[in-house]
Amino acid sequence: MSIIVNHVDHIYNPGTVFEKKALCDVTFSVENGEYIGLVGRTGSGKSTLVMHLNGLMKPTSGGIFYDGADIASEGYDLRELRGKVGVVFQYPEHQLFEEDVFADVCFGPRNLGLDKSEVEIRAYEALKAVGIRDEQLYVSPFDISGGEKRRVAIAGVLAMKPEVLVLDEPCAGLDPAGRDEILAIADYLHDNLGITVIIVSHSMDDLAEHVHRILVMNDGQLVMDGSAREVFGHRDELESIGLAVPEVTAILSDLKKAGLPVRDDLITVEEARDEILRVFGK
Ligand code: ADP
């Protein structure tokens, strides 16, 4: 699996008073097995970009190539692409509608035209992967907790066996425990199932300890692309585009500014603790 996004522009409502350039010369590629965070404040173009990755939108100019093929070319099978690039949109639990959890997750793979047993195997495996218990399979999706609803919705996309899974603001509206649970599932899908995972978020704290690479969008442009450590090293630049570095990184950088000889490119609480203890000779 590989995706190449090559000099992509996207203009909404071209030629009208509502014309808006939402993507501007965006170029990057995604390799198989990557774990990526896509960040930017609201309106920076993240959702527009995601909808290009599975062919829901077409570039105004430039191209998207999946495994080397231009997805805007004539005859390209967009339905198949949408099976390969699964997108879990924000608040996906609003789209649960079948009478029980299992039936809901069967919906996607059944639409792929698979036979009944394959549909059910996939649905069951997907529900297991997101930690839904057997006794919850035949419960109404409206009678489970908020975090469970979201997990069921993720399973619905997972059951299509995507090569790439995009989670758009997967932690929105969840409490810290629910947030950790969803991010642990994202880790599991990446680490154990080998799925290429892209998490869209406006929160660096959500991403810091999970993804391996961060893409930063601002005003339709891709302004940074690097490891979490590299990206968080640009605190002032990030703050100037409305993004905060993780709290841990901010604290270390404040300590450094105050004269303490600490590294300020650390991103996890454990790393920060060890660094502060080191400086104090402990
Ligand atoms: P994000 O996901 O980062 O919040 P979006 O991709 O939703 O950003 O939006 C990027 C820009 O495009 C914003 O200025 C937004 O107002 C604009 N936009 C999004 N959808 C439409 C649309 N359907 N018509 C016109 N403008 C849009």
Side-chain angles (χ1 to χ4, degrees), residues 12-13 18-23 40-49 51 57 90 168 200 217 219-220:
Y12 285 110
N13 310 310
F18 301 108
E19 179 168 312
K20 168 77 199 174
K21 192 164 193 177
L23 294 178
R41 67 174 169 208
T42 304
S44 59
K46 305 182 298 295
S47 304
T48 305
L49 179 56
M51 288 190 275
M57 281 191 181
Q90 281 186 52
D168 191 357
V200 180
M217 297 287 299
D219 221 359

Side-chain angles (χ1 to χ4, degrees), residues 203-224:
S203 162
M204 296 290 197
D205 276 297
D206 284 354
L207 300 174
E209 299 192 21
H210 298 273
V211 303
H212 303 154
R213 175 182 171 199
I214 295 186
L215 304 175
V216 182
M217 297 287 299
N218 181 45
D219 221 359
Q221 289 179 298
L222 179 62
V223 291
M224 288 183 212

